[in-house]
Amino acid sequence: MVEQKTRIDAAAAFIRHQSAIQPVVGLLTGTGLGGCADTMQVEQELAYSAIPHFPVSTVSGHRGRLLLGHLQNRAVMVFQGRFHLYEGYRPQEVVFPIRVMQALGAHTLIVTNAAGGLNPAFAPGDIMRMADHINLTGENPLVGPNEPDWGIRFPDMSAVYDPRLGEQAQTAARTLGITLQNGVYAGLKGPSLETPAEIRFLTTIGADAVGLSTVQEVIAAVHAGMRILGLSVITNVNHPDRPVPATLEEIIAVADQAAPRLARLIEHVLEHLE
Ligand code: HPA
């Protein structure tokens, strides 16, 4: 963990050297959603590969760069592209962007992902505010010696997603005429997608959507004491009795289509951020 802290501190020092921006908000975007910060006034752009110790994303639909600048007059850092357990990254690598955010002082995290819908009321293209999550990855980024500079040993998880930020997202959706669903995200390791029996199981345990990302990052962000807003784009809807194959192309296409709506929602939230 000491080594990990050294790596994070080196990455943060490099970024600080490249940009005077002191981000208050960090955005972490997922599959097909990398463009959701297109209206941002970018002041510095850094390829992940240019940042010391930073992992490099291998998934198509992920850009692999960090933008620093302003969005709705807020100093932000936007991580376009994330790391997944299914790529073979260790939980500590998956949460690297969160630790860098923490080191740079960002205290609000907005995290987006593509997810499969389980709730029959959801339709492809819907945006879901994450009300809570279920970590079914079998992994946790806090395993190992606790780093007290980062957070406490047993972080409370009773209110992971900030209710106030969630309400602001709800208000933004109403104002903009965007449908915003509310639900529980189940995070799996993947990369194989879910069997009909798994879909039935996930529905039974209270999940409304399922995806292969986000929970590791969110756990680290809770550890870091951040306020968190999670937004999922429902790219397909899974039904155990009417299984249909989901393809990455479809998932990316629906995520791309939803990206402008998601961007407007995020901009509105940032504009009204307390
Ligand atoms: N399952 C898991 N992850 C996903 C899905 C899905 O159906 N859709 C988008 N991401």
Side-chain angles (χ1 to χ4, degrees):
M1 202 54 87
V2 171
E3 263 180 48
Q4 181 69 353
K5 184 154 191 321
T6 309
R7 282 194 283 266
I8 299 286
D9 290 345
F14 173 83
I15 295 165
R16 245 184 252 114
H17 190 71
Q18 302 293 318
S19 167
I21 295 211
Q22 297 187 339
V24 291
V25 177
L27 244 114
L28 185 61
T29 62
T31 305
L33 306 171
C36 83
D38 286 348
T39 61
M40 174 175 169
Q41 282 172 270
V42 179
E43 275 144 68
Q44 183 60 273
E45 181 183 320
L46 300 168
Y48 287 172
S49 55
I51 306 171
H53 310 294
F54 213 91
V56 176
S57 48
T58 67
V59 189
S60 66
H62 283 247
R63 301 187 196 198
R65 62 180 186 183
L66 165 63
L67 306 177
L68 291 127
H70 288 87
L71 193 55
Q72 301 296 325
N73 291 320
R74 310 280 176 182
V76 298
M77 62 196 309
V78 181
F79 291 91
Q80 292 184 312
R82 60 146 62 87
F83 312 104
H84 303 83
L85 294 171
Y86 66 73
E87 294 175 83
Y89 290 111
R90 286 172 297 119
Q92 282 183 26
E93 295 171 299
V94 174
V95 306
F96 203 96
I98 304 296
R99 293 306 182 191
V100 169
M101 266 181 218
Q102 178 178 22
L104 292 172
H107 51 68
T108 297
L109 169 68
I110 301 179
V111 60
T112 71
N113 58 56
L118 302 169
N119 186 323
F122 292 2
D126 279 357
I127 299 173
M128 183 190 86
R129 158 192 167 196
M130 292 170 70
D132 204 347
H133 74 229
I134 305 173
N135 178 13
L136 295 173
T137 63
E139 305 278 359
N140 192 301
L142 308 183
V143 167
N146 186 52
E147 174 50 65
D149 284 354
W150 283 344
I152 59 174
R153 174 75 287 188
F154 299 107
D156 175 63
M157 299 289 286
S158 64
V160 169
Y161 297 89
D162 188 75
R164 189 77 200 102
L165 274 177
E167 277 166 34
Q168 282 167 347
Q170 217 77 55
T171 305
R174 260 195 306 276
T175 309
L176 299 168
I178 292 171
T179 306
L180 185 63
Q181 307 283 8
N182 192 25
V184 173
Y185 174 96
L188 272 60
K189 190 182 285 181
S192 52
L193 300 175
E194 301 72 37
T195 66
E198 286 164 347
I199 298 292
R200 203 170 286 115
F201 163 74
L202 293 168
T203 307
T204 306
I205 64 171
D208 296 290
V210 55
L212 309 179
S213 67
T214 308
V215 293
Q216 305 298 310
E217 294 102 315
V218 164
I219 291 169
V222 169
H223 189 234
M226 293 182 191
R227 293 197 302 167
I228 302 164
L229 174 65
L231 298 168
S232 299
V233 172
I234 305 299
T235 53
N236 52 293
V237 175
N238 297 297
H239 195 289
D241 302 325
R242 292 189 300 280
V244 282
T247 68
L248 182 62
E249 290 71 30
E250 269 171 38
I251 290 173
I252 292 177
V254 178
D256 278 345
Q257 212 191 345
R261 253 181 304 133
L262 188 63
R264 279 188 288 139
L265 193 65
I266 291 172
E267 282 161 20
H268 195 283
V269 169
L270 286 177
E271 195 185 330
H272 295 88
L273 201 68
E274 286 156 1

